[in-house]
Amino acid sequence: MAGPVTATVRGLVKAYDGRRVLDGLDLTVRRGEFVALLGRSGSGKSTLLKVLAGTDRDIHGTSTVEGRVSMAFQQPRLLPWRRVWRNITLGLDTDDPRGVARRALAEVALDDRAQAWPRTLSGGEAQRVSLARALVREPDLLLLDEPFGALDALTRLAMHRLVTQLWRRHRPAVLLVTHDVDEALVLADRVLVLEGGRIAAEHHVPDDRPRTIASLARLRARVLSDLGVSHDEAA
Ligand SMILES: Nc1ncnc2c1ncn2[C@@H]1O[C@H](COP(=O)(O)OP(=O)(O)O)[C@@H](O)[C@H]1O
Ligand SMILES: [Mg+2]
């Protein structure tokens, strides 16, 4: 897919105690693209996101993002001593934090929880607040680090619909880290596999939303094989 580039990573090397976790990684993410990043646990997915977010600068190689970046994690990381609306706008430069929070909460269908304390939210609600907090920054690049990993299956499906909706409306480029091949195939335009410190495989997903797992079965088998999982094991 051609188009303006939002994120460029070239020759990225990240080592911990001399051990290279990322080893000459190249990546380009274009404007508005939805990219899923798969890889074994410990393969360096979160490390890559931290570099893109600019929170880890102790690297070799280059990582450039055009515009704003925001990130959401597996744990919503809300401040327990701030009400929901405050969590969303904390640190945000705006004259009307309540209004901004109210609009953001409406987008994630939590209008009625603006005054709630984080501990009174369900896991799915807290994750929606976390998404709203990421979106009010109007990111050009939205980094999602296994954001649905801790949710039950039904809540996860609802979150898939919500993220697709928000992505369509705001059109940030998204880089979603997930363990879940089906989640990657349902949501993304492009699926990457991180292995050996680099992007070891890349698959384009046919653009036929809404997608069904059945229509993606063949691609699923190929991605699982990239991850070193045979089709029978995964079934
Ligand atoms: N701060 C750190 N210090 C030392 N090693 C780390 C640190 N952060 C991550 N690592 C190591 O780097 C590797 C990749 O970690 P990570 O990016 O979190 O993997 P993933 O998100 O793919 O599961 C792992 O082996 C992990 O133990
Ligand atoms: Mg991780």
Side-chain angles (χ1 to χ4, degrees):
M1 185 173 74
V5 171
T6 295
T8 313
V9 175
R10 291 289 174 266
L12 175 62
V13 176
K14 173 69 198 180
Y16 290 112
D17 310 319
R19 193 171 60 88
R20 291 181 168 205
V21 173
L22 301 176
D23 193 6
L25 183 143
D26 294 325
L27 170 69
T28 303
V29 179
R30 295 184 184 278
R31 186 151 85 198
E33 219 188 348
F34 200 130
V35 180
L37 181 65
L38 294 160
R40 282 175 307 101
S41 177
S43 59
K45 304 181 297 295
S46 295
T47 301
L48 175 60
L49 258 52
K50 278 182 236 163
V51 171
L52 282 164
T55 57
D56 186 346
R57 296 173 185 280
D58 179 20
I59 56 167
H60 288 97
T62 59
S63 163
T64 331
V65 177
E66 298 296 327
R68 285 181 295 267
V69 186
S70 57
M71 187 143 159
F73 306 87
Q74 179 164 359
Q75 299 306 327
R77 302 190 181 186
L78 304 178
L79 298 177
W81 57 87
R82 300 282 193 193
R83 292 183 192 272
V84 161
W85 75 270
R86 247 318 185 187
N87 262 281
I88 289 176
T89 54
L90 214 63
L92 193 68
D93 183 16
T94 167
D95 297 336
D96 179 22
R98 278 175 192 271
V100 168
R102 189 168 357 96
R103 287 189 290 278
L105 284 167
E107 287 208 61
V108 298
L110 282 177
D111 326 40
D112 52 339
R113 307 308 302 275
Q115 294 297 333
W117 296 104
R119 68 179 155 71
T120 67
L121 303 176
S122 71
E125 287 172 339
Q127 204 49 278
R128 273 143 69 197
V129 174
S130 163
L131 265 183
R133 180 182 53 191
L135 282 169
V136 294
R137 270 86 195 152
E138 298 178 5
D140 299 282
L141 178 64
L142 177 61
L143 302 170
L144 302 173
D145 198 351
E146 305 197 38
F148 318 128
L151 303 176
D152 65 84
L154 285 177
T155 306
R156 198 152 64 222
L157 285 178
M159 289 296 284
H160 289 172
R161 278 196 295 274
L162 177 64
V163 162
T164 302
Q165 234 174 54
L166 294 172
W167 171 67
R168 284 211 179 114
R169 196 176 303 148
H170 298 277
R171 282 286 162 171
V174 177
L175 185 57
L176 166 78
V177 166
T178 174
H179 272 119
D180 183 339
V181 173
D182 293 336
E183 180 169 287
L185 292 176
V186 167
L187 293 175
D189 301 316
R190 192 150 65 97
V191 175
L192 308 176
V193 176
L194 179 55
E195 174 68 42
R198 300 175 186 215
I199 304 301
E202 167 175 2
H203 298 279
H204 290 266
V205 185
D207 188 21
D208 58 349
R209 292 182 174 84
R211 296 169 180 163
T212 62
I213 290 305
S215 77
L216 294 169
R218 196 178 317 140
L219 191 50
R220 180 174 189 269
R222 282 166 54 202
V223 175
L224 283 169
S225 132
D226 291 335
L227 286 163
V229 184
S230 83
H231 203 236
D232 294 343
E233 279 174 67

